[in-house]
Amino acid sequence: MSYDAVVIGAGHNGLAAAIRLAEKGWSVAVVEGKETAGGAVKTQELTLPGFRHDLCAMNLSMFAGSGFFAAHKQALLDQGLGFMPAQNCFASVFRDGTYLGVSTSLDKTAAGIAALSPADAQAWRDLVQRFGLDAPHIFALLGSPMPSIAAAKVVWNAWRQRGTAWLFETLRLYLASPRDFLDARFTHRKVKTMMAAWGLHLDFPPDVGGGALFPYLECMVNQTFGMVIGKGGADTIVNAMTGALKTRGAALILAAPVARIDVTSGRATGVTLADGRRLEARRAVIANVHPKLVFGSLVASDPSRRTFEHNVSAIRAGPGTMMIHLALDASPDWSAGAALKDFAYVHVAPDLEMMSRVYSEASDGLLPIEPALVVGQPTAIDPSRAPEGKHVLWVQVRVLPAEIRGDAKGEIVATNWDDAKEAYAERVLDILERYAPGVRRLVLARSVWSPLDLERENPNLIGGDNLSGSHHLDQNFFLRPVAGHSRYNTPVKGLYLCGASTWPGAGTGAGSGFMLAKMLAG
């Protein structure tokens, strides 16, 4: 079979690229090794019948606000895409039995902060106002190839509208650590802790440079626009995208692992599947696959690409992640207050010190004494995900070592994840029990996914790294995935990369697939 483009990997970035190319008249085939599309965006009955769990990604706010969704909104809605908005977006619980949260009501959020510090409440309002002016420029930059004339125009227009002082202040934002950014604006530790927790969603503890942007954006986006999850599950976006793809005449070939990318005279000419079938690609092969897998197994090594292949092999993973999915008899009773039942996310990361400590322990190969927990409560927003009166809990454990060297607490002796994961899950539940007493009694069933399990499910998540590569400054912006190849190209003509390992990085925004397809076909 012959196509204009063959896309490897039916994650949301690969699907976004395929839809855009098909809309522009390209003949496209998407091949996926798994039996279902979605990559890290999947919803499955992992515990009991009727309990639908988002395996990895839950928050779809980035997708809802993406350029891809804006360009293809009606086509996706026609295929059944549905969002469920959360008015109470996220909160952090603290050791003294209190919490602080962000809701879409500015007055409500500010009142919670004012109870701690009136000055910080005003600083929050000031930051929200600044965000209204920042957002068009920041999101335009995140939605531009890096580097590109489009990105340069964004900076130029921002300078003309906001001036030199704003430009330097924004540069400081991009370079600052979470602690430095927050210390400059807020005084109360709980306010800073609530915001800094977002840094650990990537791989930014409080004192790593370049980590301020994500807490700023997440806090302000949630305050201004709210959070959305998928109606019935995060896979609503994947179902809609595969439906839209098929209506455009593209092929979606599932359960078809790729054995190799065929290269002739330095150009990618197609792919050979594990069952021997060959798909010819007349114009492009797009790999929605981690570069280490592309140039570690799918493309034969070549001395002419020695420097590039070395740089790819040196891509540093972010820390590992564990997912714990719980089927519950009722929603958790948070000791900090019944109002927490209504929040989409509850962060159990009670102070900056533990955020720094957990990152250091995981980086040293140790099972952390006290990991950070992102507790998703999707049935608080979308009751359809569980039988009537029941709930699901989505617990993301951050951050963990890919390979275990020891246990910082000195309790778990296993040094491989298959033997250690259940014991470590018990530690996580012990922590959760401290903040939501009685939650253990509510558990009807659980499904524990170690970093190794996540990599087995999705090989792109190397070492359980759901970021497909650290987002520290030396691997971000025009250095992602490697210097000189941030515009999705590779030394192999006609072979392109997209996905979380490429600019603009991890998340559900479909940015790299959409931008690549626009660069190829307009």
Side-chain angles (χ1 to χ4, degrees):
M1 296 290 292
S2 180
Y3 302 89
D4 288 323
V6 175
V7 179
I8 307 171
H12 74 285
N13 272 295
L15 294 173
I19 290 170
R20 184 69 177 188
L21 293 175
E23 186 179 71
K24 293 298 181 180
W26 287 39
S27 60
V28 181
V30 180
V31 293
E32 166 61 45
K34 295 288 183 178
E35 294 182 354
T36 58
V41 183
K42 290 180 178 176
T43 307
Q44 300 171 340
E45 293 183 342
L46 299 172
T47 54
L48 295 171
F51 291 81
R52 287 178 55 78
H53 303 268
D54 292 336
L55 177 57
C56 293
M58 170 184 149
N59 181 355
L60 299 184
S61 299
M62 290 179 67
F63 188 88
S66 68
F68 173 77
F69 178 63
H72 301 276
K73 181 176 181 178
Q74 193 56 54
L76 297 171
L77 294 177
D78 289 344
Q79 295 297 321
L81 174 64
F83 294 129
M84 299 293 289
Q87 303 301 315
N88 297 305
C89 304
F90 70 92
S92 283
V93 291
F94 306 108
R95 300 188 193 279
D96 61 1
T98 63
Y99 81 92
L100 185 62
V102 170
S103 303
T104 52
S105 166
L106 177 56
D107 288 341
K108 181 178 179 179
T109 303
I113 297 174
L116 302 173
S117 167
D120 281 359
Q122 184 57 53
W124 180 272
R125 289 182 181 275
D126 292 343
L127 203 59
V128 172
Q129 184 177 25
R130 170 186 165 168
F131 175 71
L133 300 174
D134 284 355
H137 307 298
I138 291 177
F139 289 127
L141 189 62
L142 294 175
S144 299
M146 187 66 64
S148 65
I149 294 175
K153 286 182 177 179
V154 170
V155 176
W156 171 258
N157 289 332
W159 173 74
R160 291 186 63 187
Q161 294 178 32
R162 304 297 307 282
T164 302
W166 177 87
L167 204 61
F168 281 119
E169 183 64 20
T170 302
L171 180 61
R172 290 183 63 190
L173 169 65
Y174 285 142
L175 299 177
S177 71
R179 190 190 300 271
D180 289 341
F181 174 78
L182 296 169
D183 282 349
R185 289 160 179 82
F186 299 97
T187 59
H188 204 284
R189 295 181 64 83
K190 289 182 179 178
V191 179
K192 291 186 277 190
T193 296
M194 178 188 72
M195 298 182 69
W198 282 104
L200 289 180
H201 281 249
L202 293 182
D203 56 333
F204 288 104
D207 296 301
V208 172
L213 181 64
F214 196 60
Y216 169 62
L217 288 182
E218 281 293 339
C219 289
M220 294 299 102
V221 165
N222 279 275
Q223 177 65 84
T224 306
F225 304 113
M227 183 185 292
V228 299
I229 66 174
K231 186 176 182 179
D235 63 350
T236 184
I237 67 171
V238 175
N239 295 336
M241 293 173 85
T242 55
L245 187 69
K246 292 174 183 176
T247 63
R248 284 158 173 74
L252 176 61
I253 307 171
L254 301 174
V258 172
R260 69 174 182 270
I261 296 172
D262 299 318
V263 178
T264 304
S265 301
R267 183 176 185 85
T269 56
V271 303
T272 297
L273 305 182
D275 62 10
R277 284 180 292 171
R278 185 175 187 278
L279 306 180
E280 181 183 347
R282 293 186 294 269
R283 303 169 78 173
V285 173
I286 297 172
N288 182 26
V289 180
H290 196 293
K292 282 188 172 183
L293 302 180
V294 175
F295 287 91
S297 59
L298 297 183
V299 176
S301 182
D302 189 307
S304 67
R305 300 192 297 268
R306 182 177 292 110
T307 299
F308 173 81
E309 291 177 0
H310 170 76
N311 291 340
V312 165
S313 69
I315 293 173
R316 187 177 65 257
T321 305
M322 172 181 279
M323 294 300 310
I324 302 177
H325 297 287
L326 303 177
L328 299 183
D329 195 39
S331 61
D333 291 314
W334 296 94
S335 58
L340 281 173
K341 288 176 177 283
D342 297 328
F343 279 84
Y345 274 174
V346 178
H347 288 130
V348 183
D351 53 60
L352 295 175
E353 291 76 14
M354 67 78 56
M355 295 184 208
S356 296
R357 185 169 59 249
V358 65
Y359 194 88
S360 177
E361 289 170 348
S363 297
D364 283 340
L366 301 178
L367 295 171
I369 296 172
E370 183 185 23
L373 310 182
V374 186
V375 182
Q377 303 184 117
T379 38
I381 314 303
D382 179 14
S384 73
R385 297 191 184 199
E388 186 175 357
K390 310 301 181 184
H391 288 268
V392 298
L393 216 60
W394 178 99
V395 184
Q396 188 179 69
V397 186
R398 308 196 66 91
V399 292
L400 299 173
E403 297 182 359
I404 304 170
R405 190 173 62 83
D407 179 12
K409 201 173 182 179
E411 294 178 347
I412 299 173
V413 297
T415 55
N416 67 82
W417 272 114
D418 286 337
D419 293 333
K421 71 175 183 180
E422 293 296 339
Y424 200 76
E426 288 298 313
R427 181 176 299 176
V428 170
L429 292 180
D430 285 343
I431 294 171
L432 187 57
E433 183 79 17
R434 292 204 294 268
Y435 293 93
V439 71
R440 280 184 175 275
R441 295 195 303 270
L442 300 176
V443 177
L444 302 173
R446 77 186 192 190
S447 178
V448 180
W449 295 69
S450 73
L452 180 58
D453 291 329
L454 293 175
E455 182 176 357
R456 288 169 176 155
E457 162 63 23
N458 185 342
N460 289 309
L461 308 183
I462 296 174
D465 167 27
N466 67 337
L467 310 174
S468 285
S470 169
H471 285 62
H472 290 182
L473 287 174
D474 64 334
Q475 290 190 173
N476 209 352
F477 298 97
F478 60 89
L479 300 175
R480 191 170 189 89
V482 297
H485 295 276
S486 58
R487 290 171 55 86
Y488 316 114
N489 63 310
T490 74
V492 179
K493 294 179 181 179
L495 174 59
Y496 304 90
L497 301 172
C498 71
S501 60
T502 65
W503 170 258
T508 57
S512 61
F514 185 48
M515 282 190 278
L516 169 58
K518 288 196 296 182
M519 293 168 67
L520 292 176

